[in-house]
Amino acid sequence: MSKLLKLQVSNPKVWILIGVSVAGIVILAETRRRRIKSRNAIKEDFGSFVEKFELSPFPQPPPPAARLPLSGLKFAVKDIIDVKGFVSGFGSVDWKRTHEAAAKTAVVVTALLRNGATCVGKTIMDELGFGITGENSHYGTPTNPKLPSHVPGGSSSGSAVAVAAELVDFAIGTDTIGCIRIPASFCGILGFRPSHGIASLVGVLPNSQSLDTVGWFARNPSTLHHVGHVLLQLNPLETRKTRRLIIADDLFQLSKVPKWKTVDVVKKVTEKLSGYQKVSHMNFGQYISSNVPSLKGFRDELKKQQNSLSSLKALASVMFILQRYEFRTNHEEWYNSVKPRLGHRVSDHVTASINTTPENIKILYKIRSEIRNTLQALLKDDGILVIPTVADPPLKLNSKKGASAEFQDRTFALCSITSMSGCCQVSVPVGEHDDYPVSVSFIASHGTDKLLLDTIVDVYPSLQDEVSIASNSPQEPDVNGNMDASELLKEKGNAAYKGKQWNKAVSFYTEAIRLNDKSATYYCNRAAAFLELGCFQQAEEDCTNAISLDKKNVKAYLRRGTARESLLCYKEALQDFKYALVLEPQNKVANLAEKRLRKLIN
């Protein structure tokens, strides 16, 4: 046996085989090491940059000249903004492949360099400026530093992430239909969309010129303020005005964040600071419906949604038609000649844009003019409208379903206000809810950007103090009714329900309904407690009330179906479970119940 081993080892072919094997192992190990190193490199910059470089600021003027306002600050720019010598990739590999390097640097970048800031690179964006999640199928999705398992928001995703991850002091992006505001909210930072046409768009690739603006992100209001003064060339000596804050109550109903974390925080801050009138409230959707007459035709198409928010959904639909029409005007020739490879979600948007042929273009611009005049009449030069920036938490990464229709409707209803009116808006972080960042937005009329920037510098420290107090204090209704008492009672009912104290839960929900009988959730929750008590008729009645208030309340259909099945009303119960499946096709409870009832009926 040993002789055979010696023979094999002395064979040159064996040594060649051993050498090849060892080399293979070494190559494999090196490949693995490089992959790990590459992954770590991406993690270091959170995948926010598409290109890194450094553009030095203009030299500081000699004394006695003042220090440049952005001296010592680093910034990055979205890959839609020209930097001399680099191709603006527009988030698309095929766009980058078919275009030359920029001959000049964009005006906004030059202004920042001239005022002392250093540019350190270009950031990833959604393809061609379409999309609000920040996901890019070619360049990857930047990691949201606040919620790594969720999207960062887009289309200015890389710029928002670079700021949130503290890789830069501020970053420049663009906002067409929410591309600054949404990622600012999802990443928990400040995001400013200026009045349309105020910041220069020279050297910025267009998506839809009637909606496009250059905007910026920052972690603190001072930096946000300094950048704004540079880009918008504002007068620092402008007279301070007493401000009027107006809260859009109907828009906060879109959000599931408790009002004591948003509305009440804003109210408490303005009550403590000087220079602010008492906060007022309004139904913004109704105001738009009454004051933008040209929107009526688009509202009529939403016959199933005749409520105050239908006007904002109609406004959002106008925004999309306008965006698609102008994108087609700008880029149809390139699209038809190149046939670019696009992610499937972006491809749908682009295809719709290329195929857009609006019957009456003039009505789109008329609505745009009317909504601007309407906001001007409401806000004048001292008013600030307060709304939620977004209504929903960030979506999870790589979600197969993507953004649901409801998510998009709520998001774009809110974003359409300033996109269509051209007003200025700032998204301000106000803590967290269920571990995701929460924000509110302040909107001022077109051209009053300095008022808005000054307001944020004024209120931000107190706002964060109130957020901290609210998050660390047990919430009880105070004598002035600042706390939403009905919501508190609902939460107490939920706690009793979890503790299997069914009668106690019914009592709390009943009190909540007494204070607010327009909440489908209160009725639906009480129905759940009644089911546990065997009170099936009461549960059925509560679910019917819930459905009358919210036609898409899946839980109400499921609970009413359960109550009716318990009352031996099998056909009616079957209809409830069927409708639940229409709303949620994969609902396991409804699927099982439907099969069970079909057997009973047959």
Side-chain angles (χ1 to χ4, degrees):
M1 194 72 177
S2 59
K3 289 181 179 180
L4 180 62
L5 182 62
K6 283 182 180 180
L7 180 64
Q8 289 176 340
V9 170
S10 63
N11 191 331
K13 291 182 179 179
V14 172
W15 285 107
I16 292 171
L17 181 63
I18 292 171
V20 170
S21 300
V22 171
I25 292 169
V26 170
I27 292 170
L28 187 65
E30 177 63 14
T31 301
R32 185 179 179 187
R33 186 189 68 80
R34 289 183 180 182
R35 282 178 182 169
I36 293 171
K37 185 178 179 181
S38 176
R39 284 197 202 106
N40 290 338
I42 291 174
K43 288 179 181 177
E44 284 173 9
D45 66 13
F46 290 79
S48 57
F49 285 91
V50 68
E51 286 183 285
K52 281 189 169 183
F53 50 79
E54 185 168 307
L55 298 180
S56 299
F58 284 40
Q60 169 73 38
R67 179 181 168 88
L68 293 173
L70 303 180
S71 181
L73 300 182
K74 293 182 178 180
F75 73 99
V77 298
K78 183 176 181 178
D79 196 26
I80 196 173
I81 300 170
D82 284 347
V83 172
K84 185 178 179 180
F86 295 88
V87 180
S88 292
F90 214 175
S92 164
V93 291
D94 285 323
W95 180 278
K96 191 167 187 174
R97 175 178 59 81
T98 55
H99 287 78
E100 300 294 328
K104 294 182 179 180
T105 296
V107 169
V108 290
V109 177
T110 301
L112 296 169
L113 297 171
R114 192 183 300 278
N115 281 273
T118 301
C119 181
V120 297
K122 284 197 163 194
T123 56
I124 286 177
M125 59 177 285
D126 287 71
E127 293 177 85
L128 305 180
F130 283 101
I132 57 171
T133 63
E135 295 171 296
N136 188 307
S137 60
H138 299 293
Y139 291 104
T141 303
T143 302
N144 185 337
K146 292 292 175 70
L147 279 173
S149 60
H150 292 67
V151 300
S155 65
S156 304
S157 54
S159 292
V161 166
V163 171
E166 301 186 18
L167 304 174
V168 292
D169 298 291
F170 66 94
I172 307 302
T174 59
D175 191 307
T176 303
I177 59 172
C179 316
I180 288 280
R181 294 160 284 169
I182 294 168
S185 181
F186 285 0
C187 292
I189 56 175
L190 292 156
F192 196 92
R193 175 193 163 100
S195 297
H196 184 264
I198 302 296
S200 174
L201 286 169
V202 175
V204 181
L205 297 173
N207 179 291
S208 169
Q209 54 268 32
S210 292
L211 307 173
D212 291 342
T213 58
V214 166
W216 57 97
F217 303 96
R219 291 186 300 280
N220 64 74
S222 176
T223 301
L224 192 85
H225 191 268
H226 286 316
V227 173
H229 273 254
V230 167
L231 293 184
L232 307 181
Q233 303 179 39
L234 301 176
N235 176 10
L237 303 177
E238 190 175 303
T239 306
R240 177 187 170 90
K241 299 179 180 69
T242 300
R243 296 164 174 82
R244 296 180 295 114
L245 264 65
I246 306 165
I247 293 174
D249 288 328
D250 56 324
L251 302 188
F252 278 98
Q253 290 177 20
L254 292 173
S255 174
K256 294 180 181 178
V257 179
K259 290 182 182 178
W260 58 266
K261 287 190 172 184
T262 54
V263 172
D264 291 347
V265 165
V266 172
K267 288 171 67 176
K268 287 177 181 177
V269 167
T270 54
E271 287 168 0
K272 292 179 180 179
L273 296 174
S274 61
Y276 293 84
Q277 295 182 23
K278 185 178 179 180
V279 169
S280 60
H281 297 258
M282 72 177 301
N283 186 308
F284 186 75
Q286 287 183 355
Y287 179 76
I288 295 299
S289 180
S290 302
N291 291 278
V292 186
S294 297
L295 199 58
K296 184 179 183 303
F298 293 89
R299 281 203 318 274
D300 291 344
E301 294 178 10
L302 303 171
K303 292 179 180 178
K304 294 181 180 179
Q305 299 182 27
Q306 290 303 316
N307 54 55
S308 64
L309 292 172
S310 64
S311 58
L312 288 180
K313 187 174 179 183
L315 186 66
S317 70
V318 174
M319 175 180 75
F320 279 122
I321 296 169
L322 181 57
Q323 180 198 24
R324 289 168 176 171
Y325 168 72
E326 292 187 340
F327 181 88
R328 174 185 175 180
T329 302
N330 294 324
H331 304 302
E332 181 181 20
E333 184 178 343
W334 171 81
Y335 178 84
N336 288 334
S337 62
V338 173
K339 301 286 191 298
R341 296 163 294 158
L342 302 170
H344 70 277
R345 291 172 189 165
V346 174
S347 181
D348 291 342
H349 288 298
V350 175
T351 301
S353 299
I354 299 301
N355 295 329
T356 292
T357 52
E359 295 179 3
N360 186 356
I361 298 299
K362 291 183 179 179
I363 192 67
L364 305 179
Y365 296 102
K366 187 176 182 181
I367 290 171
R368 181 168 165 266
S369 177
E370 287 179 359
I371 186 71
R372 178 177 294 189
N373 292 337
T374 297
L375 267 293
Q376 178 62 45
L378 173 68
L379 301 174
K380 299 183 172 60
D381 63 354
D382 63 345
I384 295 172
L385 182 69
V386 184
I387 69 169
T389 307
V390 294
D392 297 274
L395 300 169
K396 287 190 176 182
L397 283 168
N398 304 316
S399 173
K400 291 181 181 179
K401 293 181 180 179
S404 67
E406 291 82 1
F407 177 95
Q408 294 188 65
D409 284 350
R410 288 189 291 266
T411 302
F412 293 126
L414 295 169
C415 289
S416 66
I417 298 169
T418 49
S419 287
M420 285 299 293
S421 68
C423 292
C424 49
Q425 177 177 343
V426 59
S427 177
V428 185
V430 286
E432 296 180 348
H433 178 66
D434 289 343
D435 297 325
Y436 67 84
V438 174
S439 67
V440 294
S441 271
F442 295 80
I443 298 173
S445 60
H446 184 272
T448 60
D449 300 69
K450 186 178 188 308
L451 171 83
L452 195 54
L453 285 165
D454 289 350
T455 299
I456 298 309
V457 171
D458 198 29
V459 305
Y460 190 81
S462 298
L463 204 57
Q464 299 312 307
D465 288 344
E466 286 296 334
V467 167
S468 179
I469 292 169
S471 62
N472 294 321
S473 302
Q475 295 301 319
E476 296 289 345
D478 59 33
V479 293
N480 296 317
N482 285 334
M483 177 62 188
D484 189 335
S486 61
E487 275 295 293
L488 178 65
L489 287 164
K490 182 201 77 172
E491 294 300 327
K492 287 184 175 181
N494 291 349
Y497 184 90
K498 288 177 182 177
K500 299 184 179 181
Q501 297 172 299
W502 319 123
N503 282 309
K504 196 172 181 180
V506 167
S507 296
F508 283 127
Y509 293 137
T510 300
E511 282 300 304
I513 291 167
R514 185 179 61 81
L515 294 174
N516 178 11
D517 62 357
K518 302 300 181 186
S519 170
T521 301
Y522 300 169
Y523 285 107
C524 193
N525 286 10
R526 189 170 70 175
F530 275 138
L531 284 174
E532 295 293 343
L533 291 168
C535 301
F536 302 121
Q537 287 183 343
Q538 291 93 326
E540 180 187 20
E541 183 179 349
D542 270 350
C543 289
T544 299
N545 285 329
I547 291 166
S548 70
L549 293 166
D550 180 7
K551 295 290 191 293
K552 295 184 178 181
N553 193 321
V554 176
K555 287 182 179 179
Y557 286 104
L558 292 174
R559 289 168 186 170
R560 189 169 71 174
T562 301
R564 286 175 168 175
E565 184 179 355
S566 301
L567 293 167
L568 309 182
C569 301
Y570 297 136
K571 288 185 178 180
E572 291 179 333
L574 179 60
Q575 290 304 312
D576 281 328
F577 290 121
K578 279 184 175 180
Y579 205 85
L581 284 171
V582 169
L583 296 171
E584 281 186 14
Q586 303 303 319
N587 191 291
K588 292 181 180 179
V589 173
N591 266 310
L592 290 172
E594 186 193 34
K595 291 176 182 177
R596 181 176 65 250
L597 287 167
R598 283 188 184 280
K599 289 180 181 179
L600 285 170
I601 293 170
N602 296 329

